Amino acid sequence: MTSNSVAPIAHNIPQPWTPPAPPADRNQLDAEELYSRQEIERLQFERLRWTLHHAYNNVPAYRELYDEHGVHPNDFQKLDDLQLFPYIDKEFLRENYPFKALAVPMDEIRRIHASSGTTGQPTVVAYTENDIEMWASLVARSMRAAGVKAGYKVHNAYGYGLFTGGLGAHYGAERLGCAVVPMSGGQTDKQVQIITDFQPEVILCTPTYLLALADGFAKAGINPRDTSLKVAVLGAEPWTEGMRKEIEELYDLKACDIYGLSELMGPGVAGEAVETQDGCHIWEDHFRPEIIDPISGNVLADGESGELVFTTLTREALPIIRFRTHDLTSLSEGTARPGHRRMNRITGRSDDMIILRGVNIFPTQIEEIALEIETLSPHFTLEITRPHRMDELTIKIERRENATTEAAEAGGRELLAQIKTRIGCSCKIEIAEPNTLARSSGKLRRIYDLREQS
Ligand code: DLL
């Protein structure tokens, strides 16, 4: 039996969320953004109860999983009872590929995306009309928090297609009342021309692509500071405070972070407020985050670092309960939106962690240090080889255009020394000429594991 022939089983908890009509003033905050912590938690309890019943009654895979674990949605009596329910991960979605995890019949589905998936089978994400409304409203909320205003022109360079970035950002920008230029990724020369001619105030893309685009402007003889861009809403890959500073100076704009993942919906799960620029507020009226110890699976307290786990609270087509993201971060109290907790910058994904002779290293740690050294650019790759039965990490990094090779080599030695002191491991370095390392039009690949070949 396929999921599209499964009729939803009635349960007596009504769907707790219906999309609000767009406000007359689109720059106004949503009422939920201003909720107190207590109001958010009350809402979360009610919405979680609905989600658990919705999943159990309509998705055989959740029912089997919960029956196996001896738990039932009725056991959910208070927020902490969420911990009674087992985690799921990408494997759960793969096992139910393509449509078996859907909780509504196919004729209620309006959109199907799929996440890239670095290994083999993609994971499918589907949306009802309400899910698409919810998604658009949260992307609009995230962009508004970042300083985007109704009436702005938005150059959207996130990839369109099965990837959720392009269309997700697109609908959100329209919802906010912006004019969207659906540029998608790549074709850097064309992007330069369109930005120059259309004069958008806002750009949406990955942080590393915005750097690549700066090279495109330089090639066209344009100083990025002279463009019309005032706001950049950047995400889809880890980036650091050093990178923010670099981008803000390069373009003379404000850069804010936006976070999301396909399995939950796409961009807009969390967004950063321009007035504080202190990490993304997770929109907790629609998602309940937890931080867990990735090894033991124990739930950790706010402030402790671990793996981010998410539960959707209002998703109809694909309810996601306790999904392990593999993203490593910690939670802090909300600031600009006090009812919603913030996630600190993502250090990386547990699967991006390089273990070099016992020391754990993330590319973001190297980015942070490299950006402190004047002669080195933010363009680098990491190659892992195993020449003499020992793993070696080689950092290939471009020198800055205005630095001599000798100065960049001295900078390279400084980088190695800093890595040794601050991270505790020894690496090799190769200084590359400007514009020689690969650029990406979307998520940048930093790590090249060549151990098989060495
Ligand atoms: O990258 C959705 C997205 C599109 C987010 C555009 C923001 C902007 P996926 O392709 O499923 O979805 O990848 C999700 O990307 O688990 C993180 O590892 C990483 N990621 C996304 N946003 C950020 C961010 C989209 N702001 C995976 N900082 C996530 C760090 C991020 N990592």
Side-chain angles (χ1 to χ4, degrees):
M1 194 159 55
T2 59
S3 66
N4 46 358
S5 62
V6 177
I9 301 164
H11 58 83
N12 54 13
I13 303 176
Q15 205 316 10
W17 186 76
T18 42
D25 176 3
R26 294 176 191 245
N27 294 321
Q28 222 174 37
L29 302 194
D30 299 334
E32 293 85 348
E33 275 177 86
L34 299 170
Y35 277 12
S36 67
R37 186 70 207 153
Q38 207 181 15
E39 285 170 311
I40 288 284
E41 291 198 342
R42 204 174 306 132
L43 196 68
Q44 288 188 332
F45 176 74
E46 180 198 319
R47 292 180 171 188
L48 268 171
R49 211 159 63 95
W50 173 79
T51 298
L52 288 164
H53 279 89
H54 179 53
Y56 186 84
N57 289 339
N58 297 312
V59 184
Y62 273 117
R63 179 186 286 255
E64 275 164 34
L65 182 69
Y66 294 168
D67 287 351
E68 245 170 54
H69 275 77
V71 281
H72 185 273
N74 288 340
D75 297 333
F76 181 72
Q77 296 294 327
K78 54 181 185 318
L79 260 187
D80 280 351
D81 289 340
L82 183 59
Q83 294 183 26
L84 301 172
F85 295 82
Y87 299 118
I88 60 164
D89 57 16
K90 253 187 195 295
E91 205 42 48
F92 178 89
L93 297 173
R94 287 211 185 98
E95 280 164 10
N96 292 290
Y97 181 85
F99 302 135
K100 286 198 294 252
L102 300 193
V104 301
M106 191 49 84
D107 62 4
E108 289 182 27
I109 299 293
R110 294 293 172 273
R111 178 107 59 87
I112 299 167
H113 280 278
S115 93
S116 39
T118 38
T119 47
Q121 215 168 53
T123 47
V124 167
V125 201
Y127 307 77
T128 62
E129 241 160 69
N130 278 352
D131 290 335
I132 289 177
E133 286 292 314
M134 186 272 270
W135 189 13
S137 76
L138 290 189
V139 173
R141 188 191 283 185
S142 305
M143 290 178 57
R144 190 172 49 226
V148 181
K149 297 207 174 350
Y152 279 5
K153 290 190 283 297
V154 173
H155 182 94
N156 185 12
Y158 285 121
Y160 281 68
L162 287 179
F163 175 54
T164 53
L167 281 168
H170 182 110
Y171 274 56
E174 284 186 351
R175 169 59 51 90
L176 185 53
C178 298
V180 190
V181 181
M183 184 67 212
S184 198
Q187 293 187 279
T188 301
D189 294 347
K190 184 89 181 173
Q191 306 241 9
V192 166
Q193 184 202 342
I194 295 288
I195 293 172
T196 310
D197 294 348
F198 292 8
Q199 303 272 299
E201 288 85 359
V202 183
I203 184 155
L204 313 177
C205 60
T206 57
T208 53
Y209 187 61
L210 197 50
L211 282 186
L213 202 54
D215 297 339
F217 279 112
K219 210 171 101 195
I222 299 166
N223 181 344
R225 294 179 70 86
D226 297 336
T227 66
S228 53
L229 297 171
K230 293 198 248 190
V231 181
V233 189
L234 309 175
E237 64 186 8
W239 54 307
T240 57
E241 278 307 310
M243 182 73 106
R244 188 206 308 269
K245 198 162 152 259
E246 171 89 18
I247 286 171
E248 290 193 337
E249 278 174 16
L250 199 53
Y251 279 91
D252 188 23
L253 50 62
K254 283 282 183 193
C256 283
D257 199 3
I258 184 167
Y259 169 87
L261 61 159
S262 319
E263 289 82 358
L264 297 191
M265 70 176 194
V269 170
E272 189 171 46
V274 66
E275 61 270 37
T276 45
Q277 287 194 311
D278 56 357
C280 291
H281 282 88
I282 296 169
W283 306 126
E284 289 207 57
D285 45 334
H286 293 277
F287 305 98
R288 168 92 181 161
E290 296 171 274
I291 296 285
I292 67 166
D293 179 324
I295 314 272
S296 69
N298 292 338
V299 175
L300 302 177
D302 286 0
E304 292 189 69
S305 296
E307 178 180 343
L308 191 54
V309 167
F310 272 114
T311 301
T312 62
L313 306 179
T314 53
R315 287 277 272 128
E316 294 178 340
L318 187 66
I320 293 289
I321 301 167
R322 304 198 88 203
F323 181 79
R324 293 187 63 155
T325 63
H326 294 293
D327 289 330
L328 302 171
T329 181
S330 58
L331 297 178
S332 308
E333 270 182 10
T335 50
R337 307 288 183 275
H340 303 256
R341 278 173 291 177
R342 276 171 306 135
M343 50 193 276
N344 296 313
R345 269 188 188 283
I346 298 206
T347 335
R349 297 177 53 78
S350 47
D351 30 18
D352 272 353
M353 186 173 78
I354 301 167
I355 306 180
L356 191 68
R357 301 186 293 274
V359 181
N360 301 345
I361 315 170
F362 288 100
T364 49
Q365 290 173 294
I366 295 180
E367 179 180 300
E368 203 175 334
I369 302 174
L371 279 166
E372 291 169 8
I373 299 172
E374 269 182 5
T375 52
L376 301 180
S377 81
H379 300 287
F380 68 92
T381 58
L382 303 174
E383 280 186 11
I384 314 170
T385 51
R386 186 175 286 165
H388 310 291
R389 282 194 271 158
M390 287 279 272
D391 288 349
E392 258 181 32
L393 179 66
T394 305
I395 305 168
K396 293 192 169 165
I397 187 160
E398 288 180 13
R399 66 172 169 85
R400 292 232 187 228
E401 206 109 36
N402 59 4
T404 60
T405 307
E406 293 71 39
E409 275 166 1
R413 287 192 293 278
E414 171 65 16
L415 177 63
L416 294 188
Q418 288 290 334
I419 290 174
K420 178 87 187 148
T421 325
R422 285 151 70 173
I423 310 177
C425 67
S426 308
C427 318
K428 294 200 152 163
I429 193 148
E430 281 177 26
I431 304 291
E433 285 300 289
N435 291 311
T436 50
L437 296 179
R439 302 289 192 266
S440 153
S441 61
K443 290 176 196 279
L444 179 72
R445 178 171 169 207
R446 291 247 193 240
I447 302 175
Y448 292 82
D449 189 342
L450 308 175
R451 276 177 289 197
E452 295 281 293
Q453 299 160 31
S454 40

